[in-house]
Amino acid sequence: VLGLNMVDLLKESGDVIDTKELSKQLGVEVVEVSALRNKNIDTLVKTAIKAGQEGTPAEGVKCFTPEVEEALGKLAPATLSRWYSIKVFERDANAIAPLNLSAEKTAELEKIIAAVEQSRDDDAESIITSDRYEWIAGVMAACVKKAPKKLSTSEKIDRVVTNRILGLPIFVIVM
C-alpha cells in the first residue's frame, strides 16, 4: 500500500495525480493522505491491514528494459529476491557479500552482466539508473497532470512593457 502524502497541497497548486492510474502502474493500492491535516490516515491504515491479512505480496514492477529484465532473471535463482538480482547486476559488493558466491558462480554472473554492458555500451550501475529514471518519467507522464503555469504580477507587467508594439510608446511616455 502506498500512502500518497501532501495531495492537498498539490491540489491547491492546481496539479492532479491520477491515483487509479498510479495504482495500476505500481501494482499496489494508492491512498491519498494528508499527514499535516490528518486526512485519510485511518483509510491508509485499514487498507494496509487488509493487504497484510490477504498475505499476497505485491509483485513489484518491471521497470527495466526487456534485455535487463532477462539478465536479472538469469542472475538470481528462485531462492533469491529480485532485489538481490539487481544488486548483483550493479556489482554492489556490500549486498552481494552475504550470498557467499563461489568464484565459479561469480564468473558466470559476470558474463551475463558484461553481455548487457557490451550491448548497451554503458556500465551496469548506469544502465539500472537510466532504466529506472526512464520508467519514472513514463509513470509521471501517465499519472501527473500539471496545472497551467500562472504568471506573477511582475511577469504580467513585463509582458506589457516589453511588448513589440506597445514597448516603444511606453518607453517614450516614461522618458
Side-chain angles (χ1 to χ4, degrees), residues 9-84:
L9 298 178
L10 187 74
K11 287 180 182 176
E12 286 175 13
S13 71
D15 297 341
V16 177
I17 295 179
D18 182 352
T19 54
K20 288 182 181 167
E21 180 62 25
L22 183 60
S23 178
K24 185 174 128 187
Q25 294 273 339
L26 298 177
V28 297
E29 187 82 25
V30 176
V31 179
E32 292 183 4
V33 298
S34 173
L36 181 65
R37 296 190 174 114
N38 203 20
K39 283 188 175 180
N40 285 346
I41 303 296
D42 56 334
T43 305
L44 175 64
V45 171
K46 287 176 186 174
T47 306
I49 290 170
K50 180 182 171 200
Q53 288 172 340
E54 288 174 2
T56 310
E59 286 186 31
V61 293
K62 305 289 186 198
C63 60
F64 304 110
T65 59
E67 178 183 31
V68 174
E69 288 290 349
E70 182 181 339
L72 292 175
K74 292 176 184 176
L75 289 177
T79 57
L80 293 178
S81 69
R82 178 175 170 81
W83 183 83
Y84 274 114

Side-chain angles (χ1 to χ4, degrees), residues 93-117:
N94 292 332
I96 298 170
L99 298 176
N100 297 320
L101 298 173
S102 66
E104 182 182 285
K105 183 66 174 173
T106 302
E108 179 185 326
L109 298 175
E110 187 58 38
K111 285 181 187 177
I112 296 168
I113 298 165
V116 176
E117 287 178 327

